[in-house]
Amino acid sequence: MNSDLNKPFKAPAMARMSIRRQLSRSLIVALCLTMGALLMVVNWGIGQISHEYILSRLKHDAESIIAALQLQPDNQTWDVGPRGTSTVYQRALSGHYYMITGPDIEIRSRSLWDYPAQFATLAKGEENSFEMPGADGQHWLVWQLGFNKNDTPFTLTIIEDSSPLDALKWRYSFWALLVLAGGAISLFFMQQWILTRNFRYLDSVREKIQSFRYAEDKPDLSSVPQELAPLADDIDQLLQQLKQRVSRTRNSLGNLAHEIKRPLQRLQQLQDESVTEFGADIKALLDDIQWLIQRELKRARIVGVSSPGRQTNLAVDLPPLINILSKLYPAIRIEADLSAAGSLPQDRDDMLELIGNLLDNACKYGLSEVYLTAQVTDELAVIRVLDDGKGLPQESIEHLLQRGQRLDERQEGAGLGLSICNDIIESYQGRLTLENREPHGIRVTIELPLR
């Protein structure tokens, strides 16, 4: 037997990547990009709002300053009256400043004190705004306007320290970052909860699919989510088709063996009546064919009506099998201890063929007694078949226990049928143990995992 065929299939690493991990990774990337862009937009928006707010206030103050700018009649000098400006322009380094420049004219607010400041002059109607570092570590937002008064060109430069609003902007940005981070974490855990909740449906679908294989009745799939219903229906149809194919195949083999038996018997009779040069070879071939037919008929008789897909109830299914073998071997007494037996998830036909084959060979090579025990726990089923025959040489046992090795099933004393038993046991990832009993006989132990 090719050992590679019995190895469990392992999907490639990419195919086995966790869906939860992929969704979580995609969500984290999307949240980081979205929240980062949103934070940048919020920060830029707050900056623009504060910038426009300061500019609008500066323009409002500029109207008052321009209106208060007067030419003094006594000395023909320009000056801004104290009532035309707010008191914040009177305090030194208050963060609110203005400067009016013209031909040989420079009027500065008291708040500028002696801080050196030079600005470009503008033509009438021109406006300009910009930011720059200011006095005492301040951050100045500057707005300029060119205008004429009494045909004299002036440039008004009005300044406000935006540091308090900048600090407030960053404070709000920090809180916005905390809110966004909290929302992202909440969304992540909400996604994990939704995935866990919906993956429970996948677990139920897996259990229902397993029940397709082991149960006799079709399970109820009405609670399967709508997205998984087509998959469950397709698997249901596939398993039903496989079940029908296995049933038809086993029944066909039994029918073929039964129908071909009579023509072969007639052929053997004609061979016995005739004398030919190849008579001995023909007789050997006919004996081989008869032996194969008898084996298939015995397997069909052991299993009974083919019903693949049913689970095995040892206490119910084994007594009829023991009854059949007792009639086939009346000189052998078969004792069975099924007090600890239960139900097996393995296919009923496979288990009847396995146990029936072991019992058949034990009866064939035993002297007077065959003993069967079955014990089922939560994790493991242990089945033992013992006979009182002459046993096997130790080298034959060691040869049989090597993976892929077989003995000739028709060889005298070696009819353990392990070629069939090994196929069934390996298909369920079980284990077979073979040993000689004292003082004589063979003990065969089968261990089958239930999960």
Side-chain angles (χ1 to χ4, degrees), residues 304-424:
V305 179
S306 180
S307 57
R310 291 179 54 188
Q311 62 183 5
T312 308
N313 190 330
L314 296 177
V316 174
D317 295 328
L318 289 185
L321 171 64
I322 295 173
N323 185 41
I324 292 174
L325 291 173
S326 298
K327 294 179 180 179
L328 292 175
Y329 302 97
I332 301 297
R333 182 166 59 91
I334 303 176
E335 294 186 4
D337 181 7
L338 304 178
S339 58
S343 295
L344 304 182
Q346 284 79 9
D347 182 83
R348 171 186 177 273
D349 292 359
D350 288 342
M351 292 299 100
L352 288 182
E353 187 171 354
L354 171 63
I355 300 173
N357 196 42
L358 293 177
L359 287 175
D360 176 66
N361 286 287
C363 292
K364 185 184 299 183
Y365 298 100
L367 297 178
S368 61
E369 186 178 59
V370 171
Y371 193 62
L372 168 67
T373 64
Q375 184 177 7
V376 179
T377 62
D378 293 337
E379 301 291 336
L380 191 68
V382 180
I383 302 170
R384 291 186 176 89
V385 177
L386 303 88
D387 65 64
D388 58 352
K390 61 180 181 180
L392 281 174
Q394 186 62 33
E395 58 271 15
S396 297
I397 293 178
E398 295 175 355
H399 181 72
L400 279 172
L401 293 179
Q402 294 178 4
R403 185 175 181 82
Q405 301 296 327
R406 304 181 181 182
L407 290 181
D408 186 355
E409 295 180 2
R410 289 165 291 177
Q411 181 180 343
E412 184 67 24
L416 294 171
L418 291 183
S419 61
I420 298 173
C421 296
N422 275 331
D423 292 342
I424 297 175

Side-chain angles (χ1 to χ4, degrees), residues 251-263 293 296-297:
N251 291 334
S252 298
L253 285 175
N255 293 335
L256 176 62
H258 188 271
E259 293 298 328
I260 205 174
K261 181 179 180 181
R262 287 191 300 272
I293 292 174
E296 292 302 323
L297 288 175

Side-chain angles (χ1 to χ4, degrees), residues 271-292:
Q271 189 273 334
D272 292 337
E273 294 174 357
S274 63
V275 178
T276 65
E277 179 182 358
F278 304 102
D281 294 336
I282 295 175
K283 185 177 186 305
L285 293 174
L286 289 175
D287 290 341
D288 288 343
I289 296 174
Q290 286 285 1
W291 179 84
L292 292 173

Side-chain angles (χ1 to χ4, degrees), residues 232-245:
D233 292 340
D234 289 342
I235 293 176
D236 179 24
Q237 294 177 9
L238 176 61
L239 292 179
Q240 294 299 331
Q241 290 176 358
L242 292 177
K243 180 178 179 180
Q244 294 172 3
R245 290 178 185 176

Side-chain angles (χ1 to χ4, degrees), residues 192-221:
Q192 297 301 308
W193 177 77
I194 293 174
L195 289 175
T196 302
R197 180 181 178 185
N198 285 277
F199 280 162
R200 292 174 185 169
Y201 288 108
L202 292 178
D203 293 335
S204 65
V205 170
R206 178 178 57 81
E207 294 173 358
K208 287 178 169 57
I209 291 175
Q210 286 182 345
S211 68
F212 277 139
R213 179 180 179 185
Y214 300 132
E216 300 181 23
D217 299 327
K218 180 179 178 180
D220 181 18
L221 293 177

